[in-house]
Amino acid sequence: MKVIRLAFCFVGGLALLHTFAQEPAPAHGRQATAQFNSDLLSDGAEPPALGGDACRTAGSERAAAWSQTSIKTTIYCGSDQVGFVIHQDRAPSQAVTGDADLANLDRLSEYLRASEAVVCEPPQMLRFGGLSVWALPCRDIVDGWPSMALVRNAANGPQIAFGAAFAFPFLAFQLGADVSLPDESMAETIAELWPAKVPLGSFADRRRIGELWSQAREASAKLDFETAQLRLDAALEVQVRLFGEADLRTSALLLDLAMVLAYQEDFEASDAIVRRVGPLLDRSPRPSDRARLAGYQSSIAALKEDFRTAGQYAGSATAQWRRIAGSNDQEALLSLFQSSEAKAIDAQSELALALAREAAILLRLDDPVSAYAKAGEALLVLNSATQKPPIWRSEILAVLAETSSALGRLSASEKFFESAIAIRRSLQGDGAGVVRLLLAQGRAYQREAMNVNAIITYRSAIKIAKEMPRGSVALRVNDLIPFAQAVLAEADATANEDEKLGLMTELYDAFQLAFVPGRDEAIDLASLQIIDGRPKLAELVGDLKQVLLAQSELTGKLAIERGKPAAERDDNLNRLLTERLDEQAATAAALRNSLSNDYPEYQWFAETRAPDLDILRGVLSDDEAFASFLIGADVSFLQLVVRERIYITPIAAGGDDLAEMVRALRKGLEIEGRSVNEFNLADAHFLYQTLFGGVSEPLARVKRLIVVPNGPLSNLPFGTLVTDVPEDGDYRNAPWLINRMSITHAPSIGSFVLLRQTKPVRALPRPFLGIANPTFTGAPSVVAGEDTHTCNPEDIALPSRFEKLESLPDTIDEVRAVIAALGVTGADLFAEMQAKETALRTKPLDQYNVIYVATHAVMPGEIACQNEPGIALARPSGVVGSRDEDGFLDASEVAALKIAANLVVLSACNTATSANSTVQKGDALSGLAESFFIAGARSLLVTHWQVPSAATAALMRDMFGEIGKNRALATDAALQRAQLQSISDPETAHPFFWGAFTFVGSGTETVFVEGAGA
């Protein structure tokens, strides 16, 4: 065998001799001769890449870096530059033996690492299309994308074709191979060259992953985590489809998604991802992967405020990076896609960042001395690193600033903060990073009782946060609690009422910026849609609302799929869900653009997180109060707004404490055996004092209280609170809060104001629609392809699983009694087999003034395969082909209905109880209530627990009897009167019988609009 010698020149000037085995030119295909380049460019029969992209060569230049006799031609597939071909334009002057082939191919691998930023596997002899060529399977240093080099000798010297793996047919064709085989055969042939699965997708796929990941990180930097989640989901769909589950870059994307979910406080989904990725990274050949995993786990635990666990993970991450950075074993430093030198540099910087993370957590564990030592070491390590990312220096300086403050070194703290903020501003401007640093500096001033300095610094942070996108998580509740404490301290120190009001107003504005998990744009859009006289606005807002609901449902389904074991995940379903999410996102953007350009009402809505305090006060009457809560980890705040002013008072309890109080109170509202538990009046009074003790004086003048509850208060029936120390255990004599005022739950501050500002101007043509006592047993029904042991991907409810629901015959009399009490004619009542989903869907729901649903509410987990709450309707007969006819109206379906009712009554158990679902994210409106409100109901009557039929019927009869006697009576006042009537009866005075029902709206809604059908 002849051997040809080819000279290579490296970028650094080092000339190396490379040798390759010479093979005779094949009888078929292109002849490798001195005319190679001109033949190559003139022949128009080049094969496409795998997947069908057309490829071509263009341009040629002397490749002096290879040798003085080499010519380099660029390869394009589609519009992308994917590789090159190098050949000799004349025979080399000296021939050598072939013994050094492998050694010289290794040198080619080193050259490609330096010039093309790829890492190659050992060369392999590939026999394909009539040729024997050397193949070097490679992967990109940055993203792991596969490429390959094919090498063979022609009569005048070596030919080298290098490019993306998907361009293999074109690369092989350039060397003279027969590429007439099917794509599948070629794909199988080259797939075996790599030790693990590699993608053979196009550069468009590669670009899409990179662009989506970049967009996700940009959104995360702006704290717009909802957008970041959408982009990561879309990137993962392509990544997993091409690379599979076990790829290390897939794991990196998933960890970013876990962090994004954790920032949105969706810890269940975040933990599921970490559990999925952890075993993969534990088996990684790169120690750095395990170190990074520990860092992610530490950050997620810190977001949960589980600082002990966060500290353990942070210590593990630091120890691992210390071993990596200090190791002399080049293999230990070697990244799969990075050179050992680059890895060693990264390890130093990563160690510095890990030390800073550990210091920040030690500070939260009240160990400032150790924290300062770690932060100081972090700065030294970063200074010793060859590469010093400026943004990381800012992070470390910020931790040093906080630890200095904790140690009482304010002067040093100020200098560190000034440097950290200056670096961050120079790199990113005034954004989320600066907000975080300013908040930390404000806490440092506050620690020294310098409230004025603290407030000024907090104001700077809040000003920047106000300019950030509406969906950003710029400020969390716990970020604002120190500001609130500083403001209240200043307010207490001044006797000037105008100054106090100014400080309270400023604090109110800041509170509206706080991120509350689950705050749902669709709720406020539902209120905006009610605006009468602007049908086009209502139509566009309705379209946007439906798009957001679709996005929420698709995101929920994608999360469910993501949480499944790999063997159970459906790649096609993931792709379909992701594509639909992309489509919905584009539609939402177009609708928002149209609304912003044409409708000032929407522009105000889009740019404002909550109404101005003066607007809120202006819609209140003299005897009304509006209460909302900011619930922190250890302390919370009440905002009570009345017409003349605002009161903000601290609550000496955090979220966990309040949750326990609500749980304890609700124990007295449960049935054990066949009797109701004893209700603890003292606990009810203690909780009242905890929440409202600081505003007892203004609250004494209130006749109507509107509440926006969130967190654990979502499950609190406020009317069951006790305002004074009870004198005895007689429930009839207890000083219930409901005795003093009617109580309304509002979905949000924005929706409350919109509801108050938009009054119905026309009567709906149909007075009443009732649903009662659906039939759950009887004629058999089956879902197409039903397997009673598994769930179905179409989310069709399995009718057989509802057979054990008890019938509700009393509900027919209940609904008829309500119709009679209202005194309406022409009411529609669907009962038993008529109370089916298809009958409901065929009715013009947006024409009914009152919709009354008396059936079972089903919460997630109560029925197998049901991930959403919903209402059970009559069991269908025959084969069920879609969700529209399966006899179960779930939350997603409810939200998509078109309703315009003044009142929707959900006379079923737990319709106001918090429950997770793919569309329900809010706290103030939980369970099914949220879905009906989003569907267009102006107000609702919902329940917190299951009430016996007789007690419910009596309460509803009394309530609607009051409305029947006085059609101008507000619904919340009618409910209050009915509840007081129940309290006066010794048989029903226990709050179990009357406290379950909650009115949701703005408080002034009446069932009838003037002129409504009688």
Side-chain angles (χ1 to χ4, degrees):
M1 183 186 308
K2 285 187 177 181
V3 176
I4 303 294
R5 185 183 301 266
L6 172 66
F8 281 83
C9 295
F10 273 80
V11 176
L14 177 63
L16 296 177
L17 296 178
H18 292 250
T19 60
F20 303 97
Q22 180 181 5
E23 293 285 341
H28 60 275
R30 188 184 313 279
Q31 297 295 320
T33 66
Q35 300 302 312
F36 174 82
N37 189 48
S38 59
D39 290 345
L40 180 72
L41 295 177
S42 62
D43 193 335
E46 287 90 349
L50 296 174
D53 284 348
C55 298
R56 60 188 174 86
T57 55
S60 61
E61 60 184 358
R62 181 71 61 184
W66 293 84
S67 76
Q68 295 301 316
T69 63
S70 62
I71 300 294
K72 181 178 181 181
T73 307
T74 303
I75 298 175
Y76 293 87
C77 290
S79 60
D80 297 302
Q81 182 177 332
V82 302
F84 56 79
V85 178
I86 289 183
H87 72 285
Q88 302 297 307
D89 66 352
R90 61 181 180 272
S93 60
Q94 183 180 4
V96 297
T97 65
D99 296 338
D101 281 353
L102 291 177
N104 287 312
L105 285 168
D106 286 343
R107 294 192 185 100
L108 172 60
S109 178
E110 290 297 323
Y111 177 87
L112 292 173
R113 185 201 301 254
S115 63
E116 301 298 325
V118 297
V119 176
C120 299
E121 300 287 338
Q124 303 172 49
M125 181 59 73
L126 175 65
R127 289 175 173 80
F128 177 82
L131 292 182
S132 294
V133 297
W134 286 108
L136 276 74
C138 310
R139 294 187 72 173
D140 190 272
I141 284 176
V142 176
D143 62 8
W145 205 263
S147 56
M148 62 193 312
L150 301 178
V151 183
R152 69 174 293 270
N153 275 324
N156 66 330
Q159 296 175 16
I160 302 171
F162 171 81
F166 75 90
F168 171 75
F170 192 80
L171 299 178
F173 181 74
Q174 303 311 307
L175 302 189
D178 178 4
V179 292
S180 61
L181 295 174
D183 279 6
E184 294 78 6
S185 299
M186 284 188 278
E188 291 174 5
T189 298
I190 64 174
E192 295 176 357
L193 298 174
W194 282 268
K197 178 182 178 181
V198 295
L200 298 177
S202 68
F203 259 39
D205 289 322
R206 183 184 192 180
R207 256 199 321 272
R208 179 166 172 75
I209 294 172
E211 289 171 357
L212 288 167
W213 202 347
S214 177
Q215 291 166 8
R217 288 185 166 174
E218 288 176 8
S220 292
K222 297 175 182 177
L223 305 183
D224 182 2
F225 296 114
E226 186 174 338
T227 298
Q229 181 180 344
L230 289 172
R231 299 294 182 269
L232 287 170
D233 277 329
L236 274 164
E237 186 279 318
V238 183
Q239 174 74 19
V240 172
R241 171 164 48 85
L242 294 173
F243 284 86
E245 289 282 338
D247 189 81
L248 295 175
R249 195 163 184 251
T250 302
S251 297
L253 269 166
L254 284 168
L255 284 178
D256 271 8
L257 179 59
M259 280 302 305
V260 163
L261 292 167
Y263 271 113
Q264 297 176 89
E265 301 189 19
D266 188 354
F267 296 119
E268 183 178 353
S270 178
D271 289 344
I273 290 176
V274 173
R275 287 193 299 270
R276 171 179 165 187
V277 169
L280 297 174
L281 296 183
D282 285 340
R283 297 192 297 270
S284 169
R286 300 185 296 186
S288 58
D289 286 325
R290 292 182 287 281
R292 287 197 180 97
L293 173 63
Y296 275 88
Q297 290 171 312
S298 174
S299 297
I300 291 170
L303 285 171
K304 296 178 183 176
E305 300 187 350
D306 180 2
F307 294 113
R308 296 225 168 263
T309 301
Q312 293 169 0
Y313 282 125
S316 174
T318 299
Q320 292 182 70
W321 282 117
R322 199 183 296 281
R323 285 196 297 272
I324 295 169
S327 174
N328 291 319
D329 181 0
Q330 292 302 301
E331 290 303 316
L333 297 176
L334 185 62
S335 164
L336 181 59
F337 307 129
Q338 292 180 312
S339 68
S340 57
E341 295 82 4
K343 189 63 203 168
I345 293 168
D346 284 351
Q348 289 289 331
S349 299
E350 292 274 12
L351 173 59
L353 201 61
L355 285 162
R357 182 194 298 115
E358 191 175 4
I361 293 169
L362 286 167
L363 195 58
R364 299 298 180 268
L365 292 171
D366 297 322
D367 187 359
V369 174
S370 299
Y372 189 83
K374 294 284 184 183
E377 183 187 358
L379 189 58
L380 289 173
V381 170
L382 188 70
N383 287 339
S384 68
T386 304
Q387 293 182 350
K388 304 176 181 66
I391 205 74
W392 290 11
R393 178 176 292 277
S394 175
E395 292 290 328
I396 294 169
L397 289 172
V399 178
L400 276 169
E402 287 202 76
T403 53
S404 298
S405 170
L407 292 169
R409 302 169 184 169
L410 181 61
S411 178
S413 175
E414 284 184 309
K415 291 179 181 177
F416 283 132
F417 271 125
E418 287 170 5
S419 297
I421 292 170
I423 292 171
R424 178 73 68 167
R425 276 191 166 131
S426 68
L427 294 171
Q428 298 178 336
D430 276 343
V434 173
V435 169
R436 186 163 49 82
L437 293 174
L438 288 170
L439 290 170
Q441 187 175 27
R443 291 194 296 271
Y445 285 127
Q446 201 167 354
R447 195 174 285 119
E448 299 295 324
M450 300 172 65
N451 281 336
V452 173
N453 295 62
I455 290 172
I456 292 171
T457 307
Y458 286 133
R459 282 171 177 162
S460 298
I462 291 167
K463 181 180 179 182
I464 297 170
K466 282 183 177 179
E467 300 301 318
M468 296 182 68
R470 191 174 193 265
S472 71
V473 189
L475 296 171
R476 295 178 179 273
V477 169
N478 288 330
D479 293 329
L480 288 171
I481 284 176
F483 176 55
Q485 292 168 332
V487 167
L488 293 179
E490 282 299 296
D492 288 342
T494 180
N496 187 303
E497 288 300 318
D498 289 339
E499 289 183 8
K500 282 186 178 182
L501 180 58
L503 287 167
M504 293 294 183
T505 301
E506 182 179 13
L507 187 53
Y508 164 86
D509 290 339
F511 277 6
Q512 310 321 310
L513 299 175
F515 166 71
V516 176
R519 186 175 284 171
D520 198 341
E521 182 183 355
I523 292 177
D524 288 342
L525 282 171
S527 303
L528 184 64
Q529 191 180 6
I530 294 172
I531 294 177
D532 288 299
R534 305 294 300 274
K536 185 60 178 176
L537 170 62
E539 179 185 346
L540 289 173
V541 168
D543 290 344
L544 177 57
K545 183 184 68 176
Q546 295 304 323
V547 169
L548 295 179
L549 291 171
Q551 281 183 306
S552 184
E553 184 177 4
L554 290 167
T555 300
K557 289 180 177 179
L558 199 58
I560 292 171
E561 281 298 309
R562 210 168 39 228
K564 291 179 180 177
E568 297 178 16
R569 278 193 291 275
D570 185 336
D571 290 342
N572 289 331
L573 179 59
N574 276 330
R575 187 184 72 254
L576 179 62
L577 291 172
T578 305
E579 288 174 354
R580 288 181 178 175
L581 269 173
D582 282 348
E583 293 168 2
Q584 298 293 348
T587 303
L591 285 168
R592 285 192 174 105
N593 186 57
S594 296
L595 284 162
S596 295
N597 290 337
D598 299 333
Y599 296 96
E601 300 95 326
Y602 177 80
Q603 195 170 37
W604 170 87
F605 165 84
E607 296 174 355
T608 307
R609 286 176 170 81
D612 181 270
L613 180 58
D614 289 338
I615 295 175
L616 176 58
R617 289 167 54 195
V619 298
L620 292 171
S621 300
D622 292 336
D623 59 354
E624 293 180 324
F626 185 93
S628 59
F629 300 89
L630 194 78
I631 299 176
D634 302 312
V635 66
S636 305
F637 290 87
L638 163 69
Q639 295 179 111
L640 187 77
V641 181
V642 295
R643 189 168 181 84
E644 69 272 11
R645 61 164 298 170
I646 179 174
Y647 301 85
I648 299 179
T649 61
I651 297 171
D656 290 344
D657 296 328
L658 290 172
E660 183 54 40
M661 292 180 197
V662 173
R663 276 194 297 269
L665 193 70
R666 287 187 61 127
K667 284 181 181 178
L669 300 167
E670 297 172 355
I671 297 177
E672 287 191 9
R674 294 192 174 183
S675 61
V676 183
N677 287 340
E678 194 73 21
F679 185 79
N680 193 317
L681 294 172
D683 283 353
H685 175 59
F686 180 76
L687 183 51
Y688 171 81
Q689 283 296 115
T690 301
L691 297 175
F692 296 107
V695 291
S696 56
E697 188 272 329
L699 207 58
R701 301 189 296 271
V702 169
K703 298 300 181 185
R704 172 183 285 134
L705 177 66
I706 301 100
V707 181
V708 178
N710 63 297
L713 299 183
S714 303
N715 293 328
L716 173 65
F718 279 80
T720 63
L721 296 177
V722 174
T723 59
D724 294 305
V725 178
E727 296 180 357
D728 55 42
D730 190 336
Y731 300 127
R732 292 174 297 174
N733 301 326
W736 304 107
L737 182 61
I738 198 65
N739 291 346
R740 290 170 41 179
M741 60 192 70
S742 62
I743 299 171
T744 292
H745 284 199
S748 67
I749 297 178
S751 67
F752 168 74
V753 170
L754 286 168
L755 286 169
R756 280 288 173 100
Q757 291 178 335
T758 59
K759 303 293 183 183
V761 296
R762 64 184 179 86
L764 295 172
R766 303 192 181 202
F768 191 98
L769 171 65
I771 302 290
N773 190 33
T775 302
F776 304 121
T777 59
S781 56
V782 65
V783 171
E786 176 179 351
D787 179 350
T788 57
H789 300 290
T790 61
C791 306
N792 61 80
E794 293 81 17
D795 292 331
I796 301 174
L798 304 180
S800 58
R801 291 181 173 160
F802 293 84
E803 286 182 334
K804 294 182 180 179
L805 292 177
E806 296 180 359
S807 62
L808 302 166
D810 293 345
T811 58
I812 297 177
D813 293 334
E814 175 188 333
V815 176
R816 285 174 175 160
V818 168
I819 294 171
L822 284 174
V824 296
T825 58
D828 291 327
L829 173 59
F830 294 92
E832 299 173 337
M833 284 303 298
Q834 287 187 321
K836 57 185 179 180
E837 186 175 359
T838 51
L840 192 65
R841 288 182 179 277
T842 57
K843 289 294 178 182
L845 299 182
D846 58 349
Q847 295 184 27
Y848 285 96
N849 189 55
V850 177
I851 297 176
Y852 197 112
V853 180
T855 182
H856 286 288
V858 178
M859 294 296 106
E862 291 184 355
I863 300 291
C865 297
Q866 298 310 131
N867 298 311
E868 298 186 45
I871 54 175
L873 297 169
R875 178 179 177 176
S877 59
V879 176
V880 177
S882 72
R883 293 170 67 192
D884 291 353
E885 56 182 0
D886 61 3
F888 184 70
L889 199 63
D890 63 33
S892 299
E893 294 175 287
V894 169
L897 297 175
K898 291 185 177 180
I899 294 173
N902 279 320
L903 177 65
V904 171
V905 181
L906 302 180
S907 181
C909 61
N910 297 330
T911 52
T913 302
S914 293
N916 294 324
S917 78
T918 58
V919 298
Q920 292 179 304
K921 302 182 292 182
D923 282 320
L925 265 182
S926 298
L928 287 167
E930 181 181 272
S931 296
F932 276 95
F933 189 85
I934 291 173
R938 291 187 66 93
S939 64
L940 302 106
L941 198 60
V942 293
T943 58
H944 281 281
W945 57 83
Q946 187 172 7
V947 181
S949 297
T952 299
L955 189 70
M956 293 296 96
R957 183 185 62 246
D958 291 343
M959 173 186 162
F960 286 99
E962 294 289 336
I963 295 171
K965 291 183 289 185
N966 179 8
R967 292 195 167 196
L969 182 66
T971 308
D972 65 340
L975 175 62
Q976 179 194 20
R977 293 183 185 184
Q979 289 173 321
L980 295 180
Q981 181 68 26
S982 182
I983 292 170
S984 67
D985 185 341
E987 296 295 322
T988 56
H990 190 292
F992 170 79
F993 296 102
W994 56 264
F997 278 91
T998 294
F999 179 72
V1000 180
S1002 72
T1004 56
E1005 289 87 357
T1006 58
V1007 169
F1008 294 102
V1009 178
E1010 184 178 353

